[in-house]
Amino acid sequence: MIDAPIDHVAIVVKDLDAAIALYTQTLGFSFVYREIVADQGIEAVGVRTGNAVIELLRPLDEESPIARYRGDAQTKLHHTAYRVADIRAELARLKAAGIRLIDEEPRRGAHGNTIAFLHPKSTGGVLVELCQPPGGGPPREG
Amino acid sequence: MIDAPIDHVAIVVKDLDAAIALYTQTLGFSFVYREIVADQGIEAVGVRTGNAVIELLRPLDEESPIARYRGDAQTKLHHTAYRVADIRAELARLKAAGIRLIDEEPRRGAHGNTIAFLHPKSTGGVLVELCQPPGGGPPREG
């Protein structure tokens, strides 16, 4: 993960439209994508700042673990994703280094990315995602 | 804040040395700085990945608000900081847009930065920092 840029910081939200308005209209981010990621039970909206994205996540099911994590907060920081060129190689390296993985096998994330989560038990409680863009590694265009 | 890159993502930690070891030895980040920011009641360690920094924050006082925010967690996401070229102009713009500020007046942060926090009441609960590097705006060298 050496020199892996931050791909996105994810924030789980209650009111997606309010969060989009805050980030785009008030804070000045630009809108990038909006899609349902059924596999993860979320609707994801990417808003860009500089070369990184804030990903706003709305749980599709208010009884899901991600909704329970957010609780009554309007918005809550959820995870940080790092962009890697070869996600399988990176997962193998981290596993060999003793990191427990949520996703032994990478899966599809938002925006065409291939993603995998490390287990928070191995990262002091903070959720960390590895993220390989459709074309391969860095950089993200735009 | 248009095209303001992420300067750093801050994580409040319980055991600073364990967190440094995780990020540098296991995850492969590089060490950038370590300093006491007495004003904020924290010891801050910057570890770099790509063009962004993860800032590990250890509360100097376990009874402080930042320590209570972390609670019993080993580590917890705390805030996201965006790098701006003119922090006073940006604060004025956001205030005019109805954003409540924690710091009406920018103050000194870690690593020579000038910083100011927006009030989480205005950002849906997530703490947002603006951050102007010593030389002015973007980019961060390295």
Side-chain angles (χ1 to χ4, degrees), chain B:
Chain B
M1 206 148 93
I2 289 170
D3 265 348
I6 291 180
D7 184 86
H8 63 267
V9 175
I11 297 175
V12 53
V13 309
K14 191 173 269 183
D15 181 335
L16 190 53
D17 290 323
I20 294 169
L22 169 70
Y23 276 85
T24 60
Q25 289 166 31
T26 308
L27 296 179
F29 289 55
S30 50
F31 179 89
V32 190
Y33 58 86
R34 179 173 190 153
E35 65 183 275
I36 303 277
V37 187
D39 176 46
Q40 289 174 52
I42 48 128
E43 182 173 12
V45 169
V47 291
R48 183 193 305 277
T49 173
N51 58 353
V53 162
I54 297 290
E55 198 170 78
L56 305 167
L57 307 177
R58 179 182 69 83
L60 299 178
D61 172 5
E62 280 294 324
E63 303 301 315
S64 60
I66 189 171
R68 289 201 303 272
Y69 168 87
R70 185 209 59 217
D72 288 331
Q74 277 299 311
T75 71
K76 192 169 177 183
L77 284 166
H78 186 258
H79 68 262
T80 302
Y82 301 98
R83 206 178 312 150
V84 296
D86 183 341
I87 194 168
R88 285 177 191 278
E90 196 54 44
L91 287 173
R93 189 187 72 77
L94 289 169
K95 192 174 175 182
I99 294 282
R100 189 168 148 196
L101 308 176
I102 289 181
D103 300 301
E104 298 268 344
E105 196 61 29
R107 55 190 166 114
R108 191 185 159 279
H111 207 46
N113 290 321
T114 303
I115 65 155
F117 283 96
L118 312 186
H119 199 291
K121 289 262 186 217
S122 291
T123 58
V126 163
L127 193 56
V128 171
E129 177 187 324
L130 305 186
C131 170
Q132 180 179 324
R140 177 191 279 273
E141 316 88 57

